Amino acid sequence: MNARSLFARLVAVAILVFAFGLAVHRARGQSIAHDEALTYQTFLDSGVSHVLFYTPANHVLFTLLAKPFVWVLGVSEFTLRLPSLLGAAVYLIATFLLCRALFGDGLMLPVSVALLSLNPQILDFLPAARGYSLGLACLAVALYVFTVLVDRGELNPDDKTWRWGCAMGSVFLALSVAASLTNIVPAACLTLTFSIVALGGWPAFQDRRDRRLRVLASYLVFPGMLTGLGILWPYLIQVRRSQAETNMGGTADSVRDIFNASFLYKWTDDVHASLGAVPPVPLSWQARLSDLGVYVFLPLLFCFVAVGLVLVTRAGAQSRTKHSAQCRMFAGAAVASVAVIFLLHTVLKINYPYSRYCLFFIPLFTIGALLTGREIQLRFPFAFLKGAGLLIAGVVLFDYAASLNASYFRYHAYDRISLELFQTIAKDAQLRSLKNVRVGGTWWYEPEINFYRRRYKADWLLPYDIKDRSYFWETPNSLMPADYDYFVFIPVSDPGLTGPRVRILYHDDKTQVTIIALARQ
């Protein structure tokens, strides 16, 4: 190994160590987020049977792993997030192996590693107590396994490496689906594009007598199906069509959410404006840049990757190398994933997904674009093209670096104060020497307060009641607002309580959440 290769590896490893260290720091220090607390409250806080209860919020692989962690180690923000940190470690290691297999030990190794590990959405979900990091980890392992296989040439049915590699990739794709059901889209698309590359092209599928087809089905399809059904069957029988609704609008809304989450992370919060998030101000530079991303940048990225797919697909047999095979697999999977989501929306009327539901776009389109750039460079070896590619990568990485955050998850930015809310109530209740403290109010902070109630063994605090006139449901047998010791609300759920019994205990200007303390009668 020469000094240049060693330096490239060291820089790539340093990036990965930084990303994992940041994930650990966030897992230990960040307040619990609404979805995390809801996952604990719904699936983990009670008996084992609750783990088997399905809603779209149940990321199955995560809850199955998290249950023994919190049962053995106790519940805290860190222990609840340990399965996700395991996924983070696997994802980052697989990313290094994948980028090295695709780009070697040159400059592109640290560049590609940085693009895949420092994306602000990726950094957000590596520590989050949800199934996203586990899903990314399993997907990255499958991508690495498939890359190693296509580098060997076409499928050899008598080669054990091929057979067991296909089985391993199939199982990891199934595990990625078990971690997050929306990963069924990249799993299906990768299975298709890998099969086409492994068999040497689409025409091979037309020869039903080809033994390679039977071997491919036996080792690529059935292991994943058995693994996926073995884990998911108790949940799949509970799935209903209405659970696929995500409240996302049209194509532009979904694309905007995807663009803002990665490239305007630092300057746009979440879509829940009533809870304190900050969407771009109309006609501001953020709003104009968001429009540019929706109508120019992401469509151009899609077209660029599609062009790479066309280039390597139309190349003659003599021009097909392992590099072109890699591009066909990744670019094909990226383009096919967009096509499948579009078909699901137009044919089955399934809403477009939020950005966090389709994190798989980040590795697929990042690698697809890099491989397309390499194919263009090989055909048109002009220095300015290479320089332009590196400049674009540098701008993207600068934007990622500007978005580094260790305080909160973007899609739950207002939850950064959830621990502060609990501590404020706890401190005041202690000063008043209260027992059997009754807290009610807005639906949003109900799982967070209840999580900290279990986290700190706060037996003095009764379970939080949802008593919110702006919400469709309230806790059965809940009290009137004036009968609580503490009431938590935002402006739309303000109970309008005044008088000598009422004291404002806490108010946050950003989220507009207020806690009032009420003197007992």
Side-chain angles (χ1 to χ4, degrees), residues 27-269:
R28 293 180 64 89
Q30 282 188 203
S31 295
I32 204 71
H34 182 85
D35 283 359
E36 295 178 303
L38 194 62
T39 295
Y40 173 76
Q41 179 174 277
T42 307
F43 309 114
L44 303 174
D45 190 28
S46 300
V48 175
S49 61
H50 287 251
V51 177
L52 301 178
F53 175 65
Y54 178 76
T55 73
N58 188 355
H59 293 184
V60 173
L61 188 60
F62 172 82
T63 53
L64 290 175
L65 292 175
K67 184 66 176 181
F69 273 109
V70 297
W71 183 64
V72 174
L73 301 176
V75 60
S76 69
E77 297 91 332
F78 186 66
T79 57
L80 184 61
R81 291 164 175 162
L82 278 176
S84 295
L85 290 179
L86 173 64
V90 174
Y91 172 76
L92 294 172
I93 293 171
T95 293
F96 176 82
L97 296 175
L98 174 63
C99 292
R100 188 170 167 228
L102 290 171
F103 304 110
D105 291 326
L107 173 63
M108 287 306 299
L109 175 61
V111 170
S112 58
V113 163
L115 288 170
L116 290 178
S117 59
L118 298 183
N119 177 284
Q121 275 231 95
I122 297 289
L123 289 177
D124 248 13
F125 290 105
L126 288 183
R130 307 287 284 132
Y132 300 113
S133 71
L134 289 168
L136 282 171
C138 295
L139 185 63
V141 172
L143 290 172
Y144 171 67
V145 171
F146 289 160
T147 298
V148 171
L149 291 178
V150 299
D151 287 353
R152 298 172 66 88
E154 294 185 12
L155 170 65
N156 179 1
D158 298 317
D159 187 343
K160 288 184 178 180
T161 301
W162 261 103
R163 296 200 300 270
W164 292 109
C166 287
M168 182 184 298
S170 177
V171 168
F172 275 99
L173 286 181
L175 291 175
S176 75
V177 176
S180 179
L181 284 180
T182 51
N183 283 337
I184 194 170
V185 171
C189 295
L190 274 168
T191 299
L192 176 63
T193 58
F194 172 74
S195 300
I196 293 173
V197 172
L199 294 175
W202 182 256
F205 282 93
Q206 300 174 357
D207 186 2
R208 306 299 179 186
R209 297 169 298 178
D210 192 338
R211 176 170 168 253
R212 296 184 304 165
L213 274 177
R214 297 192 298 274
V215 171
L216 196 63
S218 299
Y219 287 92
L220 182 62
V221 177
F222 291 114
M225 289 182 61
L226 292 175
T227 301
L229 291 176
I231 296 173
L232 293 174
W233 72 265
Y235 307 92
L236 293 176
I237 60 178
Q238 303 174 57
V239 172
R240 299 295 181 267
R241 168 63 188 273
S242 60
Q243 294 170 334
E245 300 297 328
T246 59
N247 299 319
M248 181 59 75
T251 308
D253 297 312
S254 183
V255 174
R256 187 180 305 279
D257 185 47
I258 291 172
F259 179 81
N260 288 354
S262 283
F263 299 103
L264 284 178
Y265 179 101
K266 184 177 176 63
W267 300 278
T268 58
D269 282 323

Side-chain angles (χ1 to χ4, degrees), residues 409-429:
F409 300 127
R410 175 186 178 272
Y411 79 117
H412 283 322
Y414 25 80
D415 277 335
R416 74 174 81 186
I417 64 170
S418 61
L419 178 58
E420 190 176 348
L421 296 181
F422 173 82
Q423 290 173 334
T424 299
I425 294 172
K427 182 179 179 180
D428 190 74

Side-chain angles (χ1 to χ4, degrees), residues 272-464:
H272 301 283
S274 63
L275 292 169
V278 183
V281 177
L283 301 181
S284 65
W285 70 267
Q286 294 99 326
R288 292 177 179 178
L289 187 58
S290 181
D291 288 339
L292 186 67
V294 172
Y295 299 109
V296 178
F297 179 75
L298 289 187
L300 282 178
L301 176 62
F302 176 83
C303 292
F304 183 72
V305 174
V307 165
L309 178 61
V310 171
L311 283 176
V312 294
T313 301
R314 297 187 63 180
Q318 69 279 3
S319 301
R320 292 188 174 178
T321 63
K322 74 172 186 178
H323 287 166
S324 65
Q326 293 166 354
C327 188
R328 274 186 291 159
M329 183 174 69
F330 281 94
V335 171
S337 294
V338 174
V340 168
I341 289 176
F342 176 76
L343 288 174
L344 289 174
H345 177 74
T346 55
V347 177
L348 299 180
K349 308 303 180 184
I350 295 176
N351 287 352
Y352 287 113
Y354 288 116
S355 56
R356 60 183 179 271
Y357 297 159
C358 48
L359 292 175
F360 54 83
F361 279 144
I362 296 170
L364 289 183
F365 272 95
T366 299
I367 296 175
L370 292 175
L371 294 178
T372 295
R374 184 173 66 185
E375 290 298 319
I376 293 175
Q377 176 66 22
L378 290 174
R379 288 166 172 76
F380 309 99
F382 301 118
F384 77 91
L385 289 178
K386 185 175 182 180
L390 290 174
L391 177 62
I392 293 172
V395 170
V396 171
L397 287 176
F398 176 80
D399 178 68
Y400 287 178
S403 302
L404 288 176
N405 167 40
S407 301
Y408 58 89
F409 300 127
R410 175 186 178 272
Y411 79 117
H412 283 322
Y414 25 80
D415 277 335
R416 74 174 81 186
I417 64 170
S418 61
L419 178 58
E420 190 176 348
L421 296 181
F422 173 82
Q423 290 173 334
T424 299
I425 294 172
K427 182 179 179 180
D428 190 74
Q430 184 179 22
L431 291 174
R432 296 167 62 187
S433 300
L434 295 181
K435 303 295 182 183
N436 297 321
V437 174
R438 301 161 301 185
V439 181
T442 177
W443 65 275
W444 190 260
Y445 287 104
E446 181 257 348
E448 292 94 314
I449 299 297
N450 282 337
F451 173 85
Y452 286 118
R453 175 176 173 269
R454 297 302 299 266
R455 160 80 166 89
Y456 291 104
K457 299 180 174 60
D459 298 330
W460 51 268
L461 177 65
L462 297 176
Y464 183 107

